[in-house]
Amino acid sequence: MTAPRTPFPIPRRGLIGFALGALAAVGVAIALLAGRSASAIAESPAGTQPHHVRVVWTESPKDSATIAWSTREPGATHRVLLDREPRAGDRARYERTVVATRNGDYARLPEEASLAFHHAVVDGLQPSTTYWFVVESDGVASPERHFVTAPADTRAFALLAGSDSRSDRAQRRAMNGLLRARFEADEQVIALLHGGDYVYDGLSLELFAEWLSDHELTTTSAGRVLPIIPTRGNHESRGELFDQVFGWPGGPVGRNWFACRLGAETLLLVLNTETALGGDQADFVRDSLETARDRRWLLASYHQPAFPAVKDPSPALEHWVPLFEEYRVDLVVESDGHVQKRTVPIRGGRAGPDGVVYIGEGGLGVRQRSPDATRWFLQEPGFARRGHHVWRIGIGADAIELEAYGEDGARTDAARISGKRE
Amino acid sequence: MGDRPQRDRRAARVTEWILRIAIAIGALGLAARWLPSSRAVAGLLYLDHGWLGEGAAEAVDDGLFVVLAAAGLLVLRPRWRFGLLIAGLLALLISVATALRDGAWPAIVPVEQAVRYVAPLALWLWFDRDGRTRPDLDAMLVFLLRCGVAATFVGHGLEALHHNPRFLDLVFAASRRCLGTPIAQANAEALLTAIGVVDLIVAALLVVVRWRAVAAWMAFWGALTAASRMVHSGVGAWPETALRALNCGAPLALVFAFTLPRKAPPPVGDVA
């Protein structure tokens, strides 16, 4: 007679082992998510002393800019004092006052201290003009700084481009030092095009506060602020901090795409790969490129690459690349891969002389990866390397001059894109 | 009366092999996607926390890839259980690693991927040491599969209700390529809302009642949504379709498993 079987007998050792493994995984997850050093907000100036001063460009930087800053306390009155002449911080002499119309507390994780944001949208500016300004909260003012508006004519200019600063502060600060050096040495540089992934956890105010402090390192010793054209990355996800830091560029969460007109001949589409790429956003790309047929230079920037040096292609390959090729976009700036890359000109899924060039992919601080050198679009004359870098995109009358610089300041790549349109 | 146990064991064999094949395809798809691009574990070890250098972290990933691919093949070996355990544990590891690196909604990742690790575990537990299915554990298998499949549909249903951007892009591509006409974003969002509601309803039904039609619908829908990845991104996206094999295979197995007796048969040799 056989021994009776127990109902629902399960190998106990197996289940216990699996349960322990699952618990260990959950424990690791909690430890990783909970472990975070908290100091950036505590280090912020007390009261309503303005800090984290930044200038943000979106659609029309020749005549408009958002000046943003932070304060520890929310305060009551916040404004920007602006002039076309330096006033050495003498607030009574500035010719113009702009009230900050967007004020509030940054979103934060439950265990984080609070910090307030303030945005003043300054319109009616003159192109290619230096504006000296101070920001003031409840009567407490920042040191005087200045920025130069974008041109409206056909003069040559340059953008610094990079992304994936992430959260290695030492490396990020080193790269910001490189940005400042390039900005100080190069009169043509007008702004930084950031392709996203500013910090590791885009929901953490502590991490974003660190980024904001480090971003101030890009201001020159003379007090010239490097305007930033921001893109949303996957580490910003769909959180509201990105919008609160950069003034809701291109619209609320779920949008964050816009067409930036630089000079008389350049259109830069800043797009968002963290929302649907088809549908409304693809319609926007098509409509913008259709109405920009008179523009000599068409550029685009977004985070997750269509022609990645390491990862799989993002949906941009399906939804946007056909539009880029239809309208003969000149240059696309991609991010996310943590490598330096420049593709061959691409059209119809192969190299072609009048194709679109894609550069990237994120070297402003994050640990770098080794590119997959076997990918067809990285073969010569394309290029890829492992290493921190920043791109200089020089827009001229006849060509786009591309240069990449490594963290030691040495040039690591150079290329030229000729015009496709008269 | 002797026919019933024979039919039951035929149904058990069909259930077993549907699951084995789906697990094997899923493991191979996961390995094929993982190595070149996803590298969730290497990303965690190197990029996010710097615990290992790039080379060492990728070596860990490469090793896991080999193990996962081997497990996928071993799953097809009759009466071998070990591959199932490895495939299930690695699927769970990748799910957790992906969740840790997912900024949008990390908690949903293990839920929507539940069938990938629950199904191999359930199958592993169903076998005795000789690799034969145990009739007294049929109910346990059905229970675990229902939980895993329901959780996966709940996860996807919630994502659909939240208009996951990637789901929207799949709808846009499917409309353009299959119907030859674009769909407006508002209509695509409405469609996703309807899909999300249906997913939640069938998940609830699967848990509450043993209706083969519900499991059959879920198998059909799992196959359709897995195939949509290749509709969107072309033949080269086959790993994205393959790694979702259990989204179809597990509910399909339930179609047959639902014919198994609900109660364990009496032990052999007992005399009332």
Side-chain angles (χ1 to χ4, degrees):
Chain A
M1 187 159 135
T2 58
R5 290 183 177 185
T6 54
F8 215 81
I10 296 175
R12 289 198 186 88
R13 286 183 208 169
L15 261 187
I16 290 171
F18 186 84
L20 286 175
L23 279 172
V26 170
V28 167
I30 292 172
L32 286 173
L33 290 171
R36 188 177 286 118
S37 60
S39 65
I41 299 175
E43 291 169 356
S44 296
T48 57
Q49 174 65 51
H51 55 288
H52 300 158
V53 177
R54 55 210 182 268
V55 174
V56 182
W57 283 359
T58 52
E59 282 93 345
S60 187
K62 67 176 175 22
D63 55 22
S64 177
T66 297
I67 299 177
W69 68 99
S70 308
T71 55
R72 281 288 295 277
E73 300 299 326
T77 56
H78 310 279
R79 57 180 188 163
V80 172
L81 305 170
L82 201 70
D83 203 313
R84 284 169 291 180
E85 297 291 334
R87 300 300 181 192
D90 184 350
R91 284 174 264 176
R93 298 177 60 203
Y94 288 92
E95 67 178 358
R96 195 174 160 193
T97 300
V98 179
V99 174
T101 52
R102 271 182 159 158
N103 305 280
D105 280 346
Y106 289 105
R108 56 194 169 91
L109 297 174
E111 68 274 17
E112 295 179 330
S114 63
L115 200 63
F117 64 85
H118 314 286
H119 299 139
V121 179
V122 184
D123 294 322
L125 302 173
Q126 297 298 312
S128 302
T129 302
T130 301
Y131 284 88
W132 305 80
F133 69 95
V134 296
V135 302
E136 181 194 89
S137 288
D138 284 0
V140 183
S142 69
E144 183 178 71
R145 294 183 175 85
H146 62 281
F147 72 97
V148 181
T149 51
D153 53 21
T154 58
R155 73 184 68 185
F157 66 90
L159 297 174
L160 297 177
S163 63
D164 297 86
S165 315
R166 292 280 287 270
S167 298
D168 181 340
R169 281 200 86 178
Q171 189 63 63
R172 181 172 68 207
R173 291 162 78 95
M175 293 308 296
N176 283 354
L178 175 64
L179 287 171
R180 181 182 66 246
R182 299 303 319 168
F183 186 35
E184 283 180 327
D186 191 336
E187 283 184 351
Q188 290 190 344
V189 170
I190 60 171
L192 167 66
L193 173 61
H194 198 297
D197 277 9
Y198 306 84
V199 296
Y200 172 69
D201 179 0
L203 302 180
S204 168
L205 177 57
E206 282 286 348
L207 293 180
F208 249 118
E210 289 177 355
W211 184 87
L212 286 166
S213 295
D214 293 346
H215 179 66
E216 290 189 295
L217 297 175
T218 63
T219 299
T220 69
S221 52
R224 183 178 172 190
V225 175
L226 178 65
I228 184 168
I229 303 172
T231 312
R232 184 181 279 270
N234 60 297
H235 280 260
E236 285 74 66
S237 186
R238 284 171 257 173
E240 52 185 333
L241 258 181
F242 170 83
D243 287 313
Q244 292 168 338
V245 168
F246 296 113
W248 289 264
V253 175
R255 288 186 65 90
N256 296 136
W257 62 72
F258 55 93
C260 179
R261 294 177 296 280
L262 294 164
E265 298 188 317
T266 303
L267 181 75
L268 166 66
L269 296 183
V270 179
L271 304 172
N272 182 5
T273 51
E274 304 319 302
T275 188
L277 279 68
D280 290 348
Q281 193 169 191
D283 292 342
F284 165 79
V285 173
R286 177 180 292 281
D287 293 343
S288 298
L289 293 176
E290 181 67 38
T291 55
R293 286 186 182 274
D294 59 328
R295 294 260 159 174
R296 183 168 180 78
W297 302 114
L298 299 176
L299 285 71
S301 169
Y302 49 83
H303 190 68
Q304 299 195 42
F307 292 98
V310 178
K311 295 184 172 183
D312 274 347
S314 75
L317 182 63
E318 160 75 16
H319 297 282
W320 295 341
V321 167
L323 294 174
F324 295 158
E325 295 181 359
E326 178 181 347
Y327 290 94
R328 307 176 76 197
V329 166
D330 299 285
L331 176 69
V332 176
V333 184
E334 301 182 320
S335 304
D336 194 41
H338 312 171
V339 296
Q340 179 186 329
K341 72 115 191 268
R342 174 177 50 80
T343 70
V344 299
I346 297 173
R347 174 172 297 281
R350 61 186 67 181
D354 63 342
V356 184
V357 175
Y358 299 78
I359 64 172
E361 264 182 41
L364 289 187
V366 71
R367 289 185 187 87
Q368 294 292 287
R369 284 186 165 119
S370 300
D372 179 358
T374 65
R375 301 194 175 190
W376 64 269
F377 45 81
L378 299 178
Q379 308 308 306
E380 280 195 30
F383 176 75
R385 70 176 271 272
R386 180 182 192 274
H388 294 99
H389 60 277
V390 58
W391 284 96
R392 179 190 185 279
I393 303 170
I395 308 290
D398 302 312
I400 294 177
E401 302 286 349
L402 294 174
E403 292 172 297
Y405 294 90
E407 59 184 295
D408 59 358
R411 195 170 73 176
T412 57
D413 188 24
R416 194 168 198 268
I417 299 174
S418 300
K420 301 189 181 78
R421 285 165 295 279
E422 292 302 317
Chain B
M1 196 163 160
D3 283 344
R4 179 65 199 263
Q6 267 189 335
R7 282 203 307 274
D8 292 343
R9 291 349 288 167
R10 270 202 299 272
R13 275 199 298 278
V14 172
T15 301
E16 173 196 343
W17 277 99
I18 289 173
L19 287 173
R20 280 186 182 274
I21 292 169
I23 291 168
I25 293 173
L28 293 173
L30 194 58
R33 177 183 180 275
W34 185 11
L35 185 65
S37 63
S38 172
R39 289 201 175 275
V41 174
L44 204 62
L45 295 174
Y46 166 61
L47 283 177
D48 295 347
H49 300 286
W51 293 334
L52 294 176
E54 182 185 22
E58 293 194 352
V60 171
D61 244 3
D62 291 349
L64 291 174
F65 153 73
V66 170
V67 172
L68 184 59
L73 293 172
L74 285 175
V75 162
L76 294 173
R77 181 170 175 172
R79 300 189 178 182
W80 253 58
R81 306 167 62 205
F82 191 63
L84 293 166
L85 180 62
I86 298 299
L89 286 178
L90 286 180
L92 176 61
L93 172 67
I94 294 169
S95 183
V96 171
T98 303
L100 288 174
R101 309 190 76 232
D102 187 305
W105 198 357
I108 207 71
V109 174
V111 177
E112 65 182 3
Q113 295 184 1
V115 73
R116 298 185 196 178
Y117 50 86
V118 169
L121 171 68
L123 199 57
W124 177 67
L125 292 171
W126 197 24
F127 293 140
D128 62 21
R129 286 184 181 168
D130 296 324
R132 294 189 186 87
T133 59
R134 290 175 55 170
D136 56 325
L137 294 183
D138 289 349
M140 176 216 68
L141 173 87
V142 171
F143 171 75
L144 289 177
L145 283 183
R146 287 166 89 178
C147 289
V149 172
T152 293
F153 269 72
V154 164
H156 283 91
L158 291 175
E159 291 260 49
L161 287 176
H162 282 82
H163 300 161
N164 181 313
R166 296 296 163 257
F167 289 9
L168 279 172
D169 283 333
L170 292 174
V171 171
F172 294 135
S175 177
R176 193 167 57 245
R177 294 192 179 208
C178 299
L179 302 180
T181 181
I183 181 172
Q185 179 141 347
N187 294 339
E189 290 175 352
L191 180 61
L192 273 189
T193 299
I195 289 170
V197 169
V198 170
D199 278 356
L200 294 179
I201 289 174
V202 296
L205 284 174
L206 188 71
V207 171
V208 170
V209 292
R210 283 171 72 114
W211 287 351
R212 299 176 75 197
V214 171
W217 164 260
M218 294 169 107
F220 164 75
W221 189 250
L224 193 68
T225 52
S228 70
R229 269 64 181 182
M230 290 173 68
V231 169
H232 179 279
S233 304
V235 173
W238 72 264
E240 293 286 343
T241 294
L243 66 86
R244 290 171 172 83
L246 276 167
N247 292 8
C248 166
L252 183 62
L254 275 174
V255 172
F256 295 91
F258 275 166
T259 65
L260 296 172
R262 296 181 190 226
K263 290 184 182 174
V268 173
D270 272 3
V271 175

